Amino acid sequence: MKIIVDAMGGDLAPKEIVLGALDAAANSGVDVILVGKGETILEVLNAHSIHTLPKGVEIANADDVVDMHDDPTTVLKKRPDSSMIVGLRMLADGAGDAFVSAGSTGALLTAATLTAKRIKGIRRAAMGPVVPTSEGKCIIMDCGANAECTSEFLLQFAYMGSFYAQQMMGVDRPRVALLNIGTEDTKGGALQKETYALLQEASKSGELNFIGNIEGRDVPLGGADVVVTDGFTGNVLLKSIEGTALFMGKLISSMFKKNALTKFCALLCAGGIRRIKKTMDYREVGGTAFIGLKKPVIKAHGSSDRRAIECAIGQAALAVEHELCGVIEDNIAKMTPTREEQHAE
């Protein structure tokens, strides 16, 4: 298995990207291709007393870099020699099995869609972040790739999220819920009501385990394994969860630092605090998968350090190992009902 890594993408590139890729190659046994400015990558290696490429690690030279301020719609034309574009073309040409980048989200999504291509029949690829809940984890489909959606898009998001939860999260029969302003089936606007009907029909046929609507407050409480929504609302939900976690972390930290007694209590609770931090640490997930493409593409956080990159590469390898893209492709027929077919029933 070979994972292509954009060595120049991200706030901490290339150092943390390169070191994370080396960790993944050493600890996971995957082969890694580092795409970027060859001399710069070698400088990072030399600075860490690595004078020969470790086994399973290659360098593919790319002289340019996609800037965070580049227009995503023109990046393919204006940055054809960048590490992101060169890496994605290598993926499309079969030089690797998956691609990982911590670079610009918009540029990566646009370029990946145009080079790696969507699975035939998939209307839109979706960003599917996995977030921790009180019951384990859930995946949000979508979190920003598609601000405006149709009910057919959301139906496909539900299927793809369900397959992801099965293949990647080990959930036998994922609970799929539609994000809404209430749990009643009459809640929401036209999009939510139309989507609810499609998901209910898929559930009746046994294709999905649709449990109905879910409110935002119930997502962190483990109310569903797959949360379906448009990208705009999903992004608001995701950022709200992240912000709440940071806020609670600061409250707990200030509470334990209040006086000598609370500091002593912090020592007694140190193990539990570390477990909470690990649960909420985005680095342990690795990144967000672009689901619906022909090959796995993982978007790592822009501020990813070596640990986050190692986990993102591990996430990509898991998608390859479990043939996530193939599973979606094999089930495409059931994921694309037309309105005419629905009305005919």
Side-chain angles (χ1 to χ4, degrees):
M1 184 187 304
K2 192 169 289 187
I3 310 299
I4 305 169
V5 180
D6 175 7
M8 311 307 292
D11 301 336
L12 304 178
K15 176 185 173 183
E16 296 297 310
I17 312 299
V18 172
L19 296 178
L22 296 184
D23 290 343
N27 300 329
S28 303
V30 298
D31 291 340
V32 174
I33 303 177
L34 290 166
V35 184
K37 298 178 180 180
E39 291 184 3
T40 305
I41 294 172
L42 290 175
E43 286 174 3
V44 173
L45 297 177
N46 290 331
H48 289 80
S49 301
I50 303 172
H51 303 298
T52 58
L53 284 177
K55 182 180 178 181
V57 178
E58 303 174 34
I59 295 176
N61 190 68
D63 294 323
D64 200 3
V65 179
V66 171
D67 186 86
M68 294 300 289
H69 302 291
D70 282 334
D71 182 356
T73 62
T74 61
V75 72
L76 266 174
K77 183 179 293 185
K78 292 186 175 181
R79 303 281 191 181
D81 299 321
S82 64
S83 55
M84 180 185 291
I85 304 305
V86 170
L88 285 170
R89 285 182 173 144
M90 290 174 64
L91 178 69
D93 293 339
D97 302 296
F99 182 74
V100 174
S101 175
S104 165
T105 301
L108 180 60
L109 178 62
T110 301
T113 302
L114 294 174
T115 54
K117 306 292 186 181
R118 291 194 301 268
I119 294 170
K120 186 177 181 180
I122 293 296
R123 309 287 176 83
R124 294 290 188 277
M127 294 176 63
V130 176
V131 298
T133 72
S134 61
E135 301 297 322
K137 298 177 182 178
C138 79
I139 181 171
I140 301 173
M141 296 285 290
D142 174 32
C143 84
N146 306 278
E148 296 182 3
C149 293
T150 67
S151 57
E152 286 82 5
F153 293 176
L154 296 188
L155 176 66
Q156 290 194 338
F157 294 170
Y159 273 105
M160 293 192 293
S162 185
F163 293 140
Y164 187 100
Q166 287 175 328
Q167 301 299 315
M168 304 283 285
M169 295 159 53
V171 183
D172 288 334
R173 189 160 170 73
R175 298 165 299 155
V176 178
L178 177 66
L179 187 64
N180 210 327
I181 58 174
T183 58
E184 301 89 346
D185 57 8
T186 56
K187 290 289 186 177
L191 175 62
Q192 288 73 32
K193 291 176 182 177
E194 290 175 10
T195 303
Y196 189 100
L198 289 176
L199 292 174
Q200 194 172 45
E201 191 65 29
S203 184
K204 286 180 181 178
S205 66
E207 302 293 351
L208 286 176
N209 181 20
F210 178 54
I211 61 173
N213 290 324
I214 188 171
E215 294 181 293
R217 66 180 182 182
D218 293 320
V219 173
L221 298 177
D225 303 303
V226 181
V227 177
V228 180
T229 183
D230 63 89
F232 182 92
T233 310
N235 191 270
V236 173
L237 172 65
L238 178 65
K239 298 300 173 59
S240 297
I241 292 173
E242 291 175 346
T244 301
L246 291 172
F247 171 62
M248 293 303 298
K250 289 183 178 180
L251 282 182
I252 293 172
S253 178
S254 63
M255 177 185 70
F256 280 127
K257 292 178 180 178
K258 190 173 183 180
N259 53 50
L261 178 60
T262 57
K263 290 179 181 178
F264 176 71
C265 291
L267 291 175
L268 297 178
C269 300
I273 293 173
R274 282 194 295 270
R275 286 192 293 272
I276 292 174
K277 285 184 176 179
K278 186 177 178 66
T279 298
M280 302 304 295
D281 191 352
Y282 75 89
R283 298 178 305 167
E284 297 300 317
V285 175
T288 297
F290 289 164
I291 306 176
L293 300 177
K294 290 183 176 180
K295 290 188 177 181
V297 173
I298 305 297
K299 169 62 177 73
H301 199 284
S303 60
S304 291
D305 60 9
R306 65 190 295 175
R307 174 58 181 166
I309 293 300
E310 179 185 2
C311 290
I313 293 172
Q315 184 183 6
L318 196 64
V320 175
E321 180 182 347
H322 288 278
E323 300 181 344
L324 176 64
C325 299
V327 170
I328 294 173
E329 190 168 11
D330 291 343
N331 288 277
I332 195 66
K334 67 181 69 169
M335 298 167 60
T336 54
T338 63
R339 291 178 185 272
E340 291 75 13
E341 289 172 340
Q342 184 188 11
H343 291 162
E345 294 175 356

